[in-house]
Amino acid sequence: MPDNGLDRRKILTGGVAAALTAGVAGPASAAVAAPRAADDTAPLRAAVLEYEDPWTKALGLAELLRTAGFEVVPLDLTLPADEQPRQVDLIAFGTFTNNSDDYLDYVAEQADSLRRFTAGHRVVLDLAQSDQYGAAVAYLPSGVSAVRTDADYDTIHPVDAAHPLVKGLRVSNGRLFTGRNASPRVSYETVQQWSGMRVLMACSASGFPPALLEGQFGAGRFLVTSLTVDKIRDSAGAVVQPTDAVADSVAFFTALAGYVASVRGGTAPTVVPTPMPPEQPVGPMVGHTEPGSARIWARPGLDPSLHSRWNCAYRELGGKRAKPWRTVTTAVEPGNDNTLIAQLRGLVPDTAYEFALTPVREAAGFTPMTGSFTTSPDPDRPCVVTMGMGSCGPSVPDHVWTAIMDEGCDSFVMLGDTPYVDSADLEVARRKHRTFLVQPEISRLISSMPVWATWDDHDFGGNDFHGDYRSKRQNRTAFVNYRANPTFGQTADGKILKERTDGEGVYTSFRRGPIEVFLLDPRWFSRTAPSWADSTRVTCLGTVQWDWLRERLSRSTAPFKAIATGMIWDDKENAEKDDWATYSYERDAIYDFIATEKIPGCFLIGGDIHVSRALSYGPRVGYDLWQFIVSPMHDSTIPSLNVPSPYLVHSAVEPHVFLKLVADTTLDMPTLTATWINREGERLFEVTRTAAELGHIPSAPRSGGTDNSPPTHG
């Protein structure tokens, strides 16, 4: 659902629910629910949480439940689910209630009590919820799950036509709920993934995606649905749906009353879970690659309980005879969202390889996940490396990715906002990474060359978000789930993380031939402690990352050293604070360190601002220091951020742009050429610098010939 400029987490809900149920709530003094009547003749009672949301602007849950024969009381948010006043048989959450903190806080704090409530011959009904604020239904028991996605539908089909919740409903041309207005749509934020639940209705005749799911826990039932059938009137009482649609809603809740009674009486049908069809595979993606090794990442999509172990076969390409296959076996990691990484070793530098991922246990109809890559050159031998870089990437089909391959790039670096996550929910973040990586053009790129990545604000959390963002750990988890960098920041005690485990930040570095890239993380630690450069101000990098950067820069022998972040190294000159001008004391300390230690070959990389620029700050580090800004790869530019600067050499307000870096050490004087290219292959501008212009002292030529070795450090 669109935001419409509203903060959906701050909409009040309790008053509406209370008003709707005034006069029928009954006494609320008892702290513990009354025991079940032995003869099951007590009236059915429902505790309801609903409110008028700003999209449908409609209500109806309490009214429909009363019409179906329930006594309706407001859900008491101060009490556990199994301690609601009087005997409650049904807890019902209305459409879009999880846009409210009331819902989010209650289901988080009362997950155990909701399960206890259900186990005692009771039912929880969870209607359509927005995935941005709780894609996964938080309180379901182990083995039972449902995860929503963005997709909305206008059609509902019966899947289990004999089920009590389905068999009494009107069917027209094979569909349910056909009399509704287009707004609101009949299915919002439809379930995409589930386990341990039975599909009763679906948005297509194929049975996928589900629109109504039933799960069993103890003697009770959970119902999770994307239906908006509770929204029939506005707050003034005017009907907002046609007569047939209202009748369909009444019929559904009448069936629900009979179903709740059967659960209370122990006669409800046993739930036989519907297997989820195989998920769409994601990947494979070639990750960190060295002269002698490579990491291959994938999310195969097959049931991990049946296909937990995978073979990655790989072989060298080229030559007159086919090279023999070698195989390494790896395992799907449930804690990393059922992704895997295969580590290929014993490779030859600067050599092309192909690979194929297949399950150890044969899976009928599964197509091997295949790809290819070229290993990194030997760092001590002259070579040419062509590396692509880009930020602000589209999550829809876009041939900018094809243009990168057409330009002959042998590797690629994602500089952040790749993808746009903009959510605090782990399942949403994971899904957005999947949506990004499965785009056909991106899929072809990531399976054909090594890819490294850092994040910027939108994949860290949201626009202009910093290290004080309380939900950053969820988005870090999603990031490391869906990347195959050499390292992932650090552990809590400062050790560099080589595995995809819980840690601090995502910074890393890697070398490919003449280029070493230092992917900084200016998000995770920002505003979390005093700065190591000025204790009166807040940090950006954090002390441990600063120590890491100094150590890595000092020992680097690469002719060209890219110090890269998603955010730019000067002032955006807008109201946002995510630029290096905000932390100028740490930025200047980095520059001073490079100058003092006489570290040659450094240049800066930035993204974020939806404008591409090249700036030269003059001999700030003992030689001319350049910044290359590349943004955006998608179609949205921000002309106002192309601000004047005395250091600006080139700029372009152009969509669909990537940076092509060519480092060539086969020449008498090694060169670095940066070219800004759009998806049509047009050159916007170009900067070429020699190693000598970046602070290297040229080596003396060898006697009797040309010296092609890189210049020495100065």
Side-chain angles (χ1 to χ4, degrees), residues 72-271:
V72 178
V73 298
L75 180 67
D76 189 334
L77 299 174
T78 68
L79 294 175
D82 57 342
E83 296 180 14
Q84 293 292 305
R86 305 171 66 183
Q87 178 177 312
V88 171
D89 303 290
L90 170 72
I91 289 177
F93 298 112
T95 296
F96 296 133
T97 48
N98 81 334
N99 291 271
S100 163
D101 283 331
D102 286 350
Y103 171 94
L104 295 173
D105 293 343
Y106 191 79
V107 299
E109 295 166 3
Q110 298 298 334
D112 287 342
S113 74
L114 283 163
R115 292 190 285 268
R116 291 195 303 269
F117 170 86
T118 305
H121 291 270
R122 295 161 176 166
V123 177
V124 173
L125 170 66
D126 208 327
L127 282 138
Q129 308 296 328
S130 301
D131 68 326
Q132 293 93 331
Y133 300 117
V137 181
Y139 50 81
L140 296 177
S142 176
V144 179
S145 66
V147 181
R148 294 182 171 90
T149 187
D150 273 334
D152 306 323
Y153 288 83
D154 288 323
T155 59
I156 302 296
H157 296 257
V159 174
D160 191 339
H163 192 277
L165 287 171
V166 183
K167 67 180 180 181
L169 303 183
R170 181 176 63 90
V171 180
S172 176
N173 294 321
R175 292 186 289 140
L176 304 168
F177 307 114
T178 55
R180 296 182 64 80
N181 286 332
S183 180
R185 302 181 75 173
V186 69
S187 171
Y188 270 118
E189 319 297 83
T190 305
V191 171
Q192 183 182 47
Q193 301 173 50
W194 73 93
S195 64
M197 303 194 84
R198 183 177 192 169
V199 178
L200 306 180
M201 302 177 189
C203 298
S204 71
S206 69
F208 182 86
L212 177 62
L213 292 140
E214 175 192 33
Q216 183 168 345
F217 185 61
R221 303 290 188 272
F222 290 103
L223 298 174
V224 176
T225 180
S226 61
L227 298 174
T228 60
V229 292
D230 57 326
K231 299 293 193 178
I232 58 170
R233 296 182 185 274
D234 63 22
S235 57
V239 176
V240 296
Q241 288 291 337
T243 301
D244 281 351
V246 174
D248 287 341
S249 292
V250 169
F252 174 78
F253 285 96
T254 299
L256 176 67
Y259 174 80
V260 171
S262 70
V263 172
R264 188 172 77 172
T267 61
T270 300
V271 174

Side-chain angles (χ1 to χ4, degrees), residues 16 30 58 177 223 227 274 294 309 311 315 338 363 374 385 392 435 476 482 484-485 526 534 541 549 582 645 652 688:
V16 175
F177 307 114
L223 298 174
L227 298 174
T274 305
R309 295 186 63 75
N311 289 326
R315 68 177 177 180
N338 297 318
T374 300
V385 161
C392 310
T435 300
R476 183 190 181 279
Y482 284 84
N485 286 348
S526 62
D534 184 343
L541 288 183
L549 177 61
T582 302
S645 169
T688 298

Side-chain angles (χ1 to χ4, degrees), residues 278-279 281 299-302 307 310 357-359 362-369:
E279 296 182 72
R299 189 179 193 271
L302 295 183
H307 303 286
W310 288 74
L357 278 164
T358 54
E362 184 177 349
F366 181 80
T367 302
M369 306 177 76

Side-chain angles (χ1 to χ4, degrees), residues 673-696:
T673 300
T675 309
W676 284 253
I677 305 171
N678 69 16
R679 68 179 182 181
E680 308 307 326
E682 298 170 350
R683 269 67 177 152
L684 307 181
F685 50 88
E686 185 171 283
V687 174
T688 298
R689 307 304 288 170
T690 66
E693 289 171 320
L694 293 178
H696 288 280

Side-chain angles (χ1 to χ4, degrees), residues 328-415:
V328 62
T329 300
T330 190
V332 165
E333 301 174 52
N336 280 304
D337 200 26
N338 297 318
T339 61
L340 61 82
I341 288 181
Q343 186 75 51
L344 313 187
R345 304 185 189 279
L347 309 182
V348 179
D350 203 12
T351 300
Y353 285 83
E354 64 177 334
F355 65 88
L357 278 164
T358 54
V360 170
R361 177 179 176 180
E362 184 177 349
F366 181 80
T367 302
M369 306 177 76
T370 61
S372 60
F373 62 93
T374 300
T375 50
S376 296
D378 186 325
D380 297 324
R381 294 179 63 87
C383 64
V384 179
V385 161
T386 304
M387 182 180 293
M389 292 186 171
S391 68
C392 310
S395 289
V396 296
D398 196 304
H399 65 268
V400 66
W401 305 99
T402 304
I404 294 164
M405 293 182 279
D406 290 344
E407 282 292 333
C409 292
D410 56 40
S411 50
F412 192 77
V413 180
M414 296 181 182
L415 294 170

Side-chain angles (χ1 to χ4, degrees), residues 98 112 140 197 261 295 390 464 468 493 498 507 539 551 559 636 700 704:
N98 81 334
D112 287 342
L140 296 177
M197 303 194 84
R295 307 186 90 185
D464 198 21
D468 49 5
D493 60 1
K498 294 186 178 181
Y507 57 90
T539 191
E551 188 269 335
S636 177

